[in-house]
Amino acid sequence: MIAYLNNTFMEEEKAVLQVGDLALQRGYAAFDYLRTLNGAPLFVDDYLERFFASAAAMHLQPTQTPQQLKQIIYELIAKNNLSQSGIRMILTGGFSPDSYTPTTPNLIVLQQPLQMPSAEKFEVGLKIITHEYERDLPEVKSINYLMGIWLQQKMKAQNAADVLYYKNGWVSEFPRSNVFIVTKEGKLVTPAAGVLKGITRMKLLQLVKGKTEVEQRPLHLDEVKGAAEVFMTSTTKRILPICQIDDVVIGDGKAGPVTTKLNQLFLELEEKETTSTTVV
Amino acid sequence: MIAYLNNTFMEEEKAVLQVGDLALQRGYAAFDYLRTLNGAPLFVDDYLERFFASAAAMHLQPTQTPQQLKQIIYELIAKNNLSQSGIRMILTGGFSPDSYTPTTPNLIVLQQPLQMPSAEKFEVGLKIITHEYERDLPEVKSINYLMGIWLQQKMKAQNAADVLYYKNGWVSEFPRSNVFIVTKEGKLVTPAAGVLKGITRMKLLQLVKGKTEVEQRPLHLDEVKGAAEVFMTSTTKRILPICQIDDVVIGDGKAGPVTTKLNQLFLELEEKETTSTTVV
């Protein structure tokens, strides 16, 4: 696979960084992840906007403009020629003389093949667990996944596919996904603050605007466990139903009708998007 | 400077890692930092014990034993021939096929010259600010310094040398140092839990055992601001007096007598330690 590092495209094995970089020394780097479909990047401008916003929030100054990075992404896609893939962008704190103060960032762009969840996985839904935790700088997408990765052993031990964070009873997000519920009255609810604003989350909110009642507000874990349907949204998962949270079965324990309908709408949107953007 | 990466000593500029490593992708790596004095590592067994404990807590399996890593440290010291230095050890999550699950770690050991704070800096003391925050997995030393680095701009804006974390009024630690107070009754108090157990902190507690009354317990920010003396301890700072916290001047605004005495004791200890260990 071809990768991009600073100003050069190269074989990924050759994309190496000196160990003095602040990402390695202090876990300090902005991050984002988008995917491609039919050889075109999906919602690329939204991801780029978020990536540059994360960089700015982290006081990192990219040496490229969003337009230049977009061009790099298109070149990378052309070079690797994958129909469906994930593209990872990392803007590091750079080679810091004191191993602490950010300096000129290093930019890494990587592409990998991506397998999206199957229709069968969607139908069965996911069992998840919960963990009391609040991400640092939750509205910034950084490489800080310490807690999410650390919790993998707990997830495995409980045969869970993911872990939902809450604090003082209030739900926020998964390590890499947003959470939605469908109330018994058919309303969509998702936490409004203290979460990473997912692009899939945003697109879904735009899709249902004016058609479904939506509330963006604090969401209690008890309300989640008592909801008619619960699902997660993310770039690599699209929309996936949650069938069990800790010991509580949600709804009838499989993909609910609203979740199924929303997933269908989202699939249509992404087909439309990538068909139209490839023409440009 | 010579560095060590996995099984090889090399010039630090040549110490590079493929960008697929989990430290770069997800900020996931165990970390530790010790220093050398008179060409010998100070309290090396204590640092190694903590480093391996952090690795174990992070579910990382080092390919070296503590004894082997100690040997590497001594070899590095011999190669670089610095009288006074800092040695940085990073054990990464490795080249993860899914960019999320830790695998065989990469081990990095770096050495750099280190300038300890001057006697003048000690005398003047530090002005610090406070920030409501609690580190993830606080008893584990990892490369997660997202908040500490992010707060540097706030520190600069307020002309502060460091930032003290508290949560719901209870003080924990600095991003890279522990906190102690001296009460008006002459007792030493330092937080007992939810902090990284610093080696300097531990050595100081051992030094004063039986001579000074010490309490390891929850410590409220109000008590810190009203203390007779406040100081920080860390590997790179030894003991440094805090003269001002936010807008509150501590004591008479300079190094207090207990802090000065403890610093003297610590200097004697480290001289004794490195004089004796160089003989071995």
Side-chain angles (χ1 to χ4, degrees):
Chain A
M1 214 55 54
I2 301 295
Y4 178 90
L5 175 59
N6 292 327
N7 294 307
T8 316
F9 289 96
M10 61 188 78
E11 287 293 337
E12 190 175 320
E13 305 85 79
K14 291 184 181 155
V16 296
L17 265 192
Q18 287 180 347
V19 296
D21 187 275
L22 220 51
L24 257 159
Q25 301 254 331
R26 303 287 182 179
Y28 202 80
F31 171 54
D32 223 304
Y33 185 97
L34 56 93
R35 67 185 168 101
T36 70
L37 184 64
N38 303 329
L42 193 61
F43 313 132
V44 61
D45 292 324
D46 299 298
Y47 286 98
L48 286 171
E49 187 181 335
R50 185 174 66 180
F51 184 51
F52 279 79
S54 295
M58 292 177 74
H59 319 303
L60 296 174
Q61 298 186 316
T63 48
Q64 288 85 354
T65 64
Q67 195 54 42
Q68 287 169 329
L69 182 48
K70 190 174 175 177
Q71 187 57 38
I72 291 163
I73 289 168
Y74 274 94
E75 281 185 52
L76 194 67
I77 290 171
K79 284 178 198 295
N80 284 323
N81 196 28
L82 296 169
S83 167
Q84 189 171 264
S85 74
I87 291 180
R88 191 180 296 275
M89 304 179 284
I90 300 172
L91 189 77
T92 76
F95 302 121
S96 174
D98 64 358
S99 300
Y100 206 66
T101 311
T103 177
T104 310
N106 290 302
L107 174 66
I108 304 162
V109 189
L110 303 172
Q111 188 178 23
Q112 277 128 1
L114 177 67
Q115 191 66 48
M116 295 298 285
S118 63
E120 190 186 45
K121 186 165 185 183
F122 181 91
E123 204 48 51
V124 176
L126 303 177
K127 181 196 158 181
I128 63 160
I129 55 173
T130 56
H131 186 77
E132 182 140 27
Y133 177 63
E134 188 176 42
R135 285 200 309 115
D136 298 346
L137 309 179
E139 307 207 356
V140 172
K141 197 166 175 80
S142 80
I143 60 165
N144 175 20
Y145 286 83
L146 174 61
M147 187 57 71
I149 290 178
W150 185 75
L151 285 169
Q152 280 177 296
Q153 293 223 344
K154 188 178 170 184
M155 282 164 47
K156 264 185 216 155
Q158 300 190 45
N159 201 26
D162 218 319
V163 53
L164 181 60
Y165 294 145
Y166 67 94
K167 190 85 181 180
N168 301 324
W170 300 98
V171 158
S172 56
E173 60 193 345
F174 298 91
R176 296 183 285 178
S177 308
N178 290 113
V179 64
F180 283 78
I181 67 162
V182 183
T183 67
K184 296 207 159 62
E185 298 77 35
K187 274 188 298 196
L188 277 182
V189 187
T190 190
V195 301
L196 186 79
K197 297 290 170 61
I199 305 299
T200 308
R201 175 188 183 278
M202 176 177 75
K203 292 295 167 183
L204 185 65
L205 290 172
Q206 290 170 355
L207 266 180
V208 299
K209 201 175 178 181
K211 295 178 211 160
T212 305
E213 197 178 341
V214 178
E215 290 177 357
Q216 293 188 55
R217 60 162 168 84
L219 180 58
H220 200 276
L221 185 55
D222 292 342
E223 192 179 355
V224 177
K225 288 187 175 177
E229 301 178 34
V230 181
F231 61 88
M232 58 166 48
T233 61
S234 91
T235 301
T236 59
K237 299 187 186 78
R238 212 179 272 121
I239 293 171
L240 276 184
I242 309 298
C243 63
Q244 187 178 336
I245 303 175
D246 297 327
D247 293 330
V248 179
V249 173
I250 305 300
D252 55 2
K254 57 185 181 64
V258 177
T259 308
T260 303
K261 176 79 191 302
L262 293 173
N263 190 50
Q264 192 52 45
L265 284 176
F266 195 85
L267 283 166
E268 287 164 17
L269 172 70
E270 70 178 42
E271 272 302 323
K272 200 180 111 209
E273 278 288 319
T274 48
T275 313
S276 64
T277 50
T278 44
V279 179
V280 175
Chain B
M1 214 53 55
I2 301 293
Y4 178 89
L5 175 59
N6 292 325
N7 293 307
T8 315
F9 289 96
M10 60 188 78
E11 287 293 336
E12 190 175 321
E13 305 85 81
K14 292 185 180 153
V16 296
L17 265 192
Q18 288 181 343
V19 295
D21 187 275
L22 219 52
L24 257 161
Q25 301 255 331
R26 303 288 182 180
Y28 201 81
F31 171 54
D32 223 304
Y33 186 98
L34 58 92
R35 68 184 168 103
T36 70
L37 184 64
N38 305 327
L42 192 60
F43 313 131
V44 60
D45 293 323
D46 299 297
Y47 286 98
L48 286 172
E49 186 181 334
R50 185 173 68 179
F51 185 50
F52 279 77
S54 295
M58 291 178 75
H59 320 303
L60 297 174
Q61 299 185 317
T63 49
Q64 287 85 352
T65 64
Q67 195 52 43
Q68 286 168 330
L69 181 48
K70 190 174 175 176
Q71 187 57 35
I72 291 162
I73 288 168
Y74 274 94
E75 281 184 53
L76 194 67
I77 290 171
K79 284 177 199 295
N80 284 323
N81 196 28
L82 296 170
S83 166
Q84 189 171 266
S85 73
I87 292 181
R88 191 180 296 275
M89 305 180 282
I90 300 172
L91 189 75
T92 76
F95 303 120
S96 174
D98 65 358
S99 299
Y100 206 67
T101 311
T103 176
T104 309
N106 290 302
L107 174 66
I108 304 161
V109 189
L110 303 173
Q111 188 178 23
Q112 276 129 2
L114 177 67
Q115 191 65 47
M116 295 298 286
S118 62
E120 190 185 47
K121 187 166 183 181
F122 181 91
E123 204 47 53
V124 176
L126 305 177
K127 181 197 159 182
I128 63 159
I129 55 173
T130 55
H131 186 77
E132 181 140 28
Y133 176 63
E134 188 176 43
R135 285 201 310 115
D136 298 346
L137 309 179
E139 306 206 357
V140 171
K141 197 167 175 79
S142 80
I143 61 166
N144 176 20
Y145 286 83
L146 174 60
M147 187 57 70
I149 290 178
W150 185 75
L151 285 170
Q152 279 176 297
Q153 293 224 343
K154 188 179 170 184
M155 281 164 47
K156 262 184 219 159
Q158 300 190 43
N159 201 25
D162 217 320
V163 53
L164 181 61
Y165 294 145
Y166 67 95
K167 190 85 180 180
N168 302 324
W170 299 98
V171 159
S172 55
E173 59 194 345
F174 298 90
R176 298 183 282 179
S177 308
N178 290 112
V179 64
F180 282 78
I181 67 163
V182 183
T183 67
K184 297 207 160 64
E185 298 76 36
K187 274 189 295 195
L188 277 183
V189 188
T190 191
V195 302
L196 186 78
K197 297 290 171 61
I199 305 299
T200 308
R201 174 188 183 277
M202 177 177 76
K203 293 296 167 184
L204 184 65
L205 290 172
Q206 290 170 357
L207 266 180
V208 299
K209 201 174 176 182
K211 295 179 214 162
T212 305
E213 197 177 342
V214 178
E215 291 177 359
Q216 294 187 54
R217 59 159 167 87
L219 180 57
H220 199 277
L221 185 54
D222 292 343
E223 192 179 355
V224 177
K225 288 186 174 177
E229 300 177 34
V230 181
F231 62 87
M232 57 165 50
T233 60
S234 90
T235 300
T236 59
K237 299 187 185 79
R238 215 181 270 121
I239 293 172
L240 276 184
I242 310 297
C243 63
Q244 185 178 338
I245 303 176
D246 297 328
D247 293 330
V248 178
V249 173
I250 305 299
D252 55 3
K254 58 183 181 65
V258 178
T259 307
T260 303
K261 177 77 191 300
L262 292 173
N263 189 52
Q264 193 51 46
L265 284 176
F266 195 85
L267 283 166
E268 287 164 16
L269 172 69
E270 70 179 43
E271 273 301 324
K272 199 180 111 207
E273 277 289 318
T274 49
T275 313
S276 63
T277 51
T278 44
V279 179
V280 175

